[in-house]
Each structure stands twice: as structure tokens, then as C-alpha cells.
Amino acid sequence: MLTVENLAVHFPSRRGTVKAVNDVSFSLDAGEILGLVGESGCGKSMTLLSLMGLVPYPGQIAGGKINFQGQNLLELSNSDLRRIRGRQIAMIFQDPLTTLNPVFKVGEQVAEALRVHQILEPEKKGLFSRSSSGAIKEEVLKLMQDVGIPAPEQRFDEYPHQFSGGMQQRAIIAIALSCRPQLLLADEPTTALDVTVQAQIMDLLRQINQREGTGIILVTHNLALAAEFCRRLAVMYAGELMELGPAEAVITEPLHPYTKGLLRSLPYLVPKGSPLTPIPGNVPDLAQLPAGCPFSPRCDVADHVCLEKEPPWVETVPDHAARCWRLT
Ligand SMILES: Nc1ncnc2c1ncn2[C@@H]1O[C@H](COP(=O)(O)OP(=O)(O)OP(=O)(O)O)[C@@H](O)[C@H]1O
Ligand SMILES: [Mg+2]
């Protein structure tokens, strides 16, 4: 369904070009759930925003291809892109509170999303045979019910501040689903929520995936959550993809020294009583990336080639690969 090839996102800055996304390639099958994990600032959101054509100014896509169902999204006109965005591809943005407008009723906001899609997509199979507000309201109530908002009739007329965090996130998911997307990009959809609500939202996303066959890219810094939810995991570091493989294998038999370091440093993945081992050093400045592997200055197994030359992708077992000289 989706293939991303050598994607690059650059921000000009006084210190030089910030390479927020650097040579990232991955693919997604129809109906698949892929996890994109990595530390803060490693380029996860920019990767998703690129798929939506929404990289914020002054950033720009500096190279690569994004093939979605046979079309390179980077070659489409703005109006064609708008037709795909929010219709075939929808996104749950990282900051949920900025998605809902505080001065409009929640039901109206879901209805607005539906109306926009109706305008963009008049041919939509009988969804609005009567395009009256009554038909739209019916559809909104159904969507609100689908995402588990109780008593939708009553909730329709409430404002966002009358919704709990979890209910707000459900409303946001309803807006994203209003176009019945084939691909849902979920950027940290549960970070602002407490653990039990987090589980409910993840459950809801899984149901949507199973019921509608919606492909999902889940961005999170929570590796344990990603491992449980996703079929495959992609690990990013400093704008680059470092490892890609089946979720289970990435967690239990990581290939890349960065993934290994990440796993040793996470409280929820280290066995009780064992010490946590933070990765020494700091994330590099994306405007002044080291030559060679971006992780090499912090890597405990790096040798001179790692410091000098960009590492190759090495597939040690089928479908599980990492970008590392030490695997060659
Ligand atoms: N306006 C900007 N100007 C310059 N650089 C920017 C700008 N916006 C983002 N960046 C760079 O892009 C990098 C990637 O940002 P991105 O938001 O994709 O990270 P992320 O992995 O989603 O992090 P988080 O987990 O904190 O959400 C950042 O490290 C930052 O250096
Ligand atoms: Mg982000």
C-alpha cells in the first residue's frame, strides 16, 4: 500500500541544514500495523507529516519518494494531495488538545469533518443519500458510538472541555475516521493519557484495524507498547532508520547497538531488580551529524569504519535488518 524511499526532510538554520529525516525507507502492507519508535527529536513526527504533505515551514522534503497505492505523493499537485489527505490517509496529531477547537461543540466538529469529505468526495457510495443535516448527524452519532463515546446523543452537544482526556482522544479518532481512511497515522495517540485509558485507546485502534482493515503507523517512544500492538517495528535515531523487523524479534533479539542500548535503558523492559543502563553521551546535533554512522560516537562496539563511512543495511534474517557495519 505504501512505500517510502530515501525520504529526506531538511530545515534550514543558521547552524547549517538540520537533517530532521535522513534517507528513510520503509513499506507498509495493506492492513498492517507498523510501529515507529525512537527518542524525542529523532524525526518520527516529521516522517508522518511528510506522508500528509504537512511538513511545517521552513522545513521541506529534500528528496525521496512516497508511493501510496501507485502514486508518488511528492509529485501530486496540492489539490490532488488534499483529496488523498484526510480521505485515504488520516492523521491523529501528536498534540490532541490543539486538534479540537474549544469553542465548538464536539459533535459539530465531527460533522464538519464529514461535510468536508462530502464536498471533496460527492461520489461516496450513498453515505449521504440525503445530504441534510439530519443524515450527517446520524452519521456523526454512529461514528461517536464506533469510537466508544457513551451516550453520543447527549455528548454531541458538549464542548471539548466537558470531555475527559480519553474521550477527547476518542473524538479526535472519530474525526480521523470520518473519511474511512485506508491508512491512519497515529502520532503518540496515548501519551497524554493515563495507563488504563491508554489501553482502551490502543484497543480501539486495534478494533478499527481489524474491522476496517485500516493500515496504521503508530509513532511512540514506548517500545513495550509498540511491541505489543505492532506487527513490525522501525527504530529511528537522529533522523535515520536504524533497524526494521518483526516486533517480537526487534525486542528480544535486537540487531543494532542503538536498539540494544535503548532496551537496556527502559524501566518497563528491564527485569525487576536489574540496573538501568542509560546510553552514554547525547543525541547528535542534526545540523552537524557525524560522518559515518550517526550513532557511532555513542556506540560501544564502533570501530574506525563506523566513524568514517555510512553503514549499509544488513539483513541478517529475512525481514529483519539493521543499518550497521558490525553486522557485515
Ligand atoms: N521548525 C524547525 N526548525 C528546525 N528544526 C526543526 C524544526 N522542527 C523540527 N525540527 C527538527 O526536526 C527534528 C525531528 O523532529 P520531530 O518532531 O520529527 O521529532 P519526534 O521524533 O517526533 O520527537 P518527539 O518524540 O519529541 O515528538 C527535531 O530534532 C528538530 O531538530
Ligand atoms: Mg513527535
Side-chain angles (χ1 to χ4, degrees):
M1 174 164 69
L2 174 78
T3 341
V4 175
E5 285 171 48
N6 312 106
L7 179 69
V9 177
H10 291 176
F11 284 87
S13 85
R14 254 184 258 140
R15 287 171 298 124
T17 302
V18 175
K19 294 182 174 169
V21 178
N22 198 0
D23 198 18
V24 164
S25 303
F26 63 90
S27 66
L28 186 83
D29 294 332
E32 188 189 353
I33 306 180
L34 173 75
L36 194 55
V37 298
E39 287 166 280
S40 185
C42 70
K44 304 181 298 292
S45 294
M46 290 305 153
T47 303
L48 292 196
L49 290 169
S50 303
L51 302 181
M52 292 291 279
L54 291 176
V55 172
Y57 182 83
Q60 59 179 33
I61 295 181
K65 281 189 197 151
I66 300 174
N67 279 307
F68 178 71
Q69 298 186 326
Q71 304 184 80
N72 182 358
L73 298 187
L74 300 182
E75 286 171 352
L76 295 182
S77 67
N78 272 340
S79 61
D80 285 339
L81 195 57
R82 213 171 306 130
R83 214 161 290 137
I84 289 184
R85 176 166 78 210
R87 167 168 151 183
Q88 275 142 304
I89 309 179
M91 181 155 170
I92 302 168
F93 292 92
Q94 183 164 4
D95 186 357
L97 296 179
T98 59
T99 303
L100 292 173
N101 189 327
V103 303
F104 291 107
K105 292 173 179 170
V106 172
E108 280 305 329
Q109 298 190 48
V110 181
E112 179 63 18
L114 275 168
R115 272 188 215 108
V116 168
H117 297 130
Q118 187 189 14
I119 293 162
L120 284 175
E121 212 175 346
E123 76 278 13
K124 198 150 197 168
K125 335 134 196 117
L127 182 59
F128 303 108
S129 39
R130 299 171 292 136
S131 69
S132 67
S133 53
I136 290 182
K137 181 160 183 183
E138 230 168 76
E139 188 68 19
V140 171
L141 294 178
K142 188 174 168 295
L143 265 171
M144 289 172 77
Q145 188 148 27
D146 282 352
V147 298
I149 296 176
E153 283 275 1
Q154 174 198 331
R155 291 296 196 151
F156 186 97
D157 288 319
E158 289 183 357
Y159 291 89
H161 73 269
Q162 293 170 290
F163 275 49
S164 66
M167 283 301 147
Q168 288 184 1
Q169 192 61 309
R170 285 175 196 268
I172 287 163
I173 293 171
I175 290 172
L177 293 180
S178 62
C179 61
R180 319 214 163 147
Q182 282 138 306
L183 173 58
L184 182 63
L185 308 174
D187 195 353
E188 305 269 11
T190 61
T191 309
L193 306 171
D194 72 52
V195 183
T196 44
V197 182
Q198 201 171 60
Q200 290 165 4
I201 296 289
M202 293 315 293
D203 215 41
L204 169 63
L205 291 176
R206 188 179 278 138
Q207 281 168 29
I208 291 162
N209 167 262
Q210 286 170 354
R211 199 169 58 207
E212 317 278 341
T214 315
I216 299 178
I217 302 181
L218 171 76
V219 159
T220 174
H221 55 252
N222 187 335
L223 256 170
L225 178 92
E228 195 192 313
F229 186 72
C230 304
R231 183 159 78 87
R232 287 187 306 148
L233 289 185
V235 182
M236 278 186 90
Y237 178 78
E240 288 188 25
L241 213 58
M242 295 309 219
E243 178 159 355
L244 183 63
E248 167 92 27
V250 171
I251 296 288
T252 56
E253 294 160 87
L255 298 176
H256 201 285
Y258 172 62
T259 316
K260 291 179 188 171
L262 201 56
L263 289 164
R264 278 197 299 267
S265 68
L266 298 175
Y268 40 82
L269 289 175
V270 171
K272 229 183 182 160
S274 322
L276 295 176
T277 324
I279 303 172
N282 290 308
V283 179
D285 180 351
L286 298 181
Q288 268 140 33
L289 286 171
C293 172
F295 187 60
S296 58
R298 302 172 76 187
C299 181
D300 52 6
V301 294
D303 68 13
H304 61 93
V305 64
C306 309
L307 298 164
E308 287 157 15
K309 281 166 96 179
E310 289 218 359
W313 271 101
V314 183
E315 191 171 273
T316 54
V317 280
D319 300 323
H320 190 181
R323 192 181 238 186
C324 180
W325 280 113
R326 302 314 302 262
L327 299 169
T328 54

